[in-house]
Amino acid sequence: MPATETAAGRRFDLLTLVKRVLRSPFTTLALIGLGILCGMYAPDVAHALSPIANAYLNLLKMVVLPFLISAVIFSITSMVQDPQSVRYLPRIALAVLVVSVLGVALSGTLSLILQPGEISDPQSRIELGQFINSQGAVSTDLQLPLTPPANVEETVGPVSIILGLVPSNVFGSLAKGDAIQVLLFCLLFGLAVGQVPQQSSMSLARVLDAVYRACIILTNWFIWALPFATFILIAQQTATMGPDPLKLMGGFLLVMGLSTLAVMLVAFGIVAMRSRQGYWTTVKAFQPLLMVIITTRSSVAALPWVINLLVERLRFNQVVVELLAPLNVALLRTGAIFLYVSGVIFIAQLYGRTLSLGDLALIGVSSSLLALTTTGMAGLVILSQMSILCGYLKLPFEAAFVLFVAVDAVSDTFMTLSSVCTVTATTAAIAPHTREVPDTHADEVAMEEPTGAEQPA
């Protein structure tokens, strides 16, 4: 017996050590650095390993829709039955306004100070022209959606966008993986279930809770391979992109990176203050979420990890978090605001266009409104919508579009990081912590105890 207990203790210590190493921020930074080196000096190896990382990404995305359905329907139903839940809606509207104003101000200020589009070196301008000309075939292919026929113009209107969110067949939306249409269905279905008497809806609530907990267990399993998947994906992106676009777009990426860094630092502080955790403890708690963002570059795919962070690790109120997090993902598009504001100013500086205060105000307001329509869009589609802003200012977009496409992997990562960190911080700022709702938690425990007692009988 003592030998067995000793062996079990050693295995436990080894498992704990491995877990700490894999979840260390230094491990993440080291693997990202190794991935960049592998992509630069061993691109064949990076491309050969990419199918493994793609399969891992599919595992992560596999959990998203079941998690979204169970969490949103359960939380909406619970909050409909709670008359005090209405107080959260004005806070969400205020958060959208504040995030939009601060996002425009941050990226606009950095763009005007750093002037990423000002290229005074003649050699750099020659290299810029050569790169654009070398991508001529790609530019032509991608310009087609930017100059659509007249009848396609209707599809970009706000009314058409809103109507397109309504699913005609929710099972078809599930099959296509259209998370926004599924989210709308879950919101409406949760509202309807909330009107059903609790005695009739209790069994559905138990099923949804079981699905939710199973998805949490799956995400905890998948986290073990996340550092290695991060290494492979970074290596693949570096091998595909090459160093030249990074040099030409270094100023733009610097603005995006600094804006994202500022959002992350503020988000860590807000979550640490609301959860009453130390700042460094909060940063370490964020690490799995940040790694998922870097590997998937998807706000929707990161949603289960946001909820897991706030509910399981930091102990915020589960019902409120499960309601607010999906709504905030759809409404708080900080990354798109950064892209549109800094991207349009970059193009204006590239072509020597001086922007007036009216032009800057137009960029800010239009970017905030246009960002709201980007939920569920792929990175290149979000990029293509920049042509709308350039059209307002009479700026050429087609040639510069090639540059943005070349660094899409990096800019899309910054966009997702800033958006998801904004969602996490805003949700933590609005949702109550479990220490703030002791009565509600006690009521939930009291409701669960009779259920457990009835099952053996």
Side-chain angles (χ1 to χ4, degrees):
M1 288 294 292
T4 305
E5 293 178 357
T6 303
R10 290 176 179 174
R11 286 196 299 269
F12 178 77
D13 292 340
L14 180 60
L15 184 64
T16 304
L17 177 62
V18 172
K19 185 182 297 185
R20 288 181 178 177
V21 171
L22 292 179
R23 293 185 177 181
S24 170
F26 300 105
T27 302
T28 303
L29 295 176
L31 288 174
I32 291 176
L34 291 175
I36 294 174
L37 293 176
C38 178
M40 293 177 60
Y41 298 105
D44 294 337
V45 175
H47 289 303
L49 294 175
S50 61
I52 301 175
N54 292 332
Y56 181 77
L57 289 180
N58 291 334
L59 286 175
L60 292 179
K61 296 176 182 178
M62 175 183 69
V63 186
V64 172
L65 287 180
F67 192 99
L68 185 67
I69 293 172
S70 60
V72 173
I73 294 179
F74 182 79
S75 60
I76 287 287
T77 302
S78 301
M79 295 194 72
V80 167
Q81 297 170 352
D82 179 11
Q84 297 182 352
S85 62
V86 182
R87 68 180 185 270
Y88 296 112
L89 299 181
R91 300 180 188 179
I92 296 176
L94 179 62
V96 173
L97 178 62
V98 171
V99 166
S100 299
V101 172
L102 294 181
V104 170
L106 176 61
S107 58
T109 301
L110 289 174
S111 297
L112 294 176
I113 293 176
L114 299 178
Q115 297 185 342
E118 293 286 345
I119 302 178
S120 56
D121 184 17
Q123 183 61 32
S124 298
R125 286 192 168 272
I126 293 174
E127 293 177 357
L128 176 64
Q130 291 175 345
F131 178 80
I132 294 176
N133 292 331
S134 68
Q135 304 295 320
V138 177
S139 175
T140 302
D141 293 340
L142 293 174
Q143 285 175 24
L144 292 177
L146 305 182
T147 55
N151 59 346
V152 180
E153 189 173 324
E154 301 176 359
T155 60
V156 299
V159 177
S160 300
I161 292 174
I162 294 174
L163 293 178
L165 299 179
V166 180
S168 59
N169 184 348
V170 67
F171 297 103
S173 301
L174 286 169
K176 292 185 297 183
D178 194 329
I180 303 305
Q181 291 188 350
V182 174
L183 174 61
L184 179 61
F185 167 78
C186 292
L187 291 173
L188 296 176
F189 190 78
L191 290 173
V193 175
Q195 304 300 322
V196 177
Q198 291 189 12
Q199 294 180 349
S200 301
S201 61
M202 185 63 68
S203 58
L204 176 61
R206 292 173 181 169
V207 171
L208 293 174
D209 184 61
V211 173
Y212 167 81
R213 296 182 184 277
C215 291
I216 289 292
I217 292 173
L218 285 174
T219 54
N220 290 332
W221 287 351
F222 296 157
I223 198 175
W224 288 94
L226 189 56
F228 307 105
T230 303
F231 162 76
I232 297 174
L233 287 169
I234 292 294
Q236 180 199 11
Q237 293 170 8
T238 305
T240 302
M241 184 170 51
D244 292 337
L246 293 177
K247 297 178 182 177
L248 298 174
M249 297 289 286
F252 167 75
L253 294 178
L254 178 62
V255 172
M256 290 287 293
L258 290 177
S259 302
T260 302
L261 179 61
V263 169
M264 292 173 62
L265 294 177
V266 172
F268 295 156
I270 293 175
V271 175
M273 181 175 59
R274 291 285 294 126
S275 62
R276 295 185 182 177
Q277 300 285 338
Y279 193 87
W280 183 246
T281 302
T282 304
V283 172
K284 290 194 291 186
F286 261 84
Q287 187 200 348
L289 173 61
L290 298 179
M291 294 171 66
V292 169
I293 296 170
I294 294 173
T295 52
T296 63
R297 300 194 330 236
S298 170
S299 300
V300 177
L303 182 57
W305 303 79
V306 173
I307 297 177
N308 183 41
L309 169 67
L310 295 177
V311 175
E312 303 294 331
R313 294 188 174 213
L314 300 178
R315 300 302 178 186
F316 284 87
N317 182 271
Q318 177 179 339
V319 172
V320 181
V321 169
E322 289 174 353
L323 172 68
L324 295 181
L327 293 178
N328 287 336
V329 165
L331 296 175
L332 301 178
R333 310 297 297 170
T334 313
I337 292 176
F338 288 166
L339 175 70
Y340 291 146
V341 173
S342 58
V344 173
I345 295 177
F346 172 84
I347 294 174
Q349 294 172 349
L350 190 66
Y351 287 98
R353 166 76 178 274
T354 301
L355 297 173
S356 64
L357 290 178
D359 294 333
L360 294 174
L362 177 62
I363 292 173
V365 174
S366 302
S367 298
S368 300
L369 296 176
L370 194 61
L372 293 174
T373 68
T374 60
T375 305
M377 290 184 179
L380 290 179
V381 181
I382 296 176
L383 275 175
S384 67
Q385 291 205 127
M386 199 187 298
S387 63
I388 300 174
L389 298 175
C390 291
Y392 291 154
L393 299 172
K394 309 299 182 184
L395 289 172
F397 177 69
E398 286 76 11
F401 184 53
V402 181
L403 297 173
F404 290 103
V405 171
V407 296
D408 175 63
V410 180
S411 61
D412 194 21
T413 302
F414 287 146
M415 288 169 54
T416 312
L417 279 169
S418 57
S419 294
V420 175
C421 287
T422 302
V423 168
T424 308
T426 304
T427 304
I430 299 176
H433 198 270
T434 51
R435 66 174 182 273
E436 301 170 354
V437 285
D439 296 338
T440 303
H441 180 70
D443 292 341
E444 292 176 357
V445 173
M447 291 177 61
E448 291 176 359
E449 286 178 355
T451 303
E454 291 174 0
Q455 289 177 354

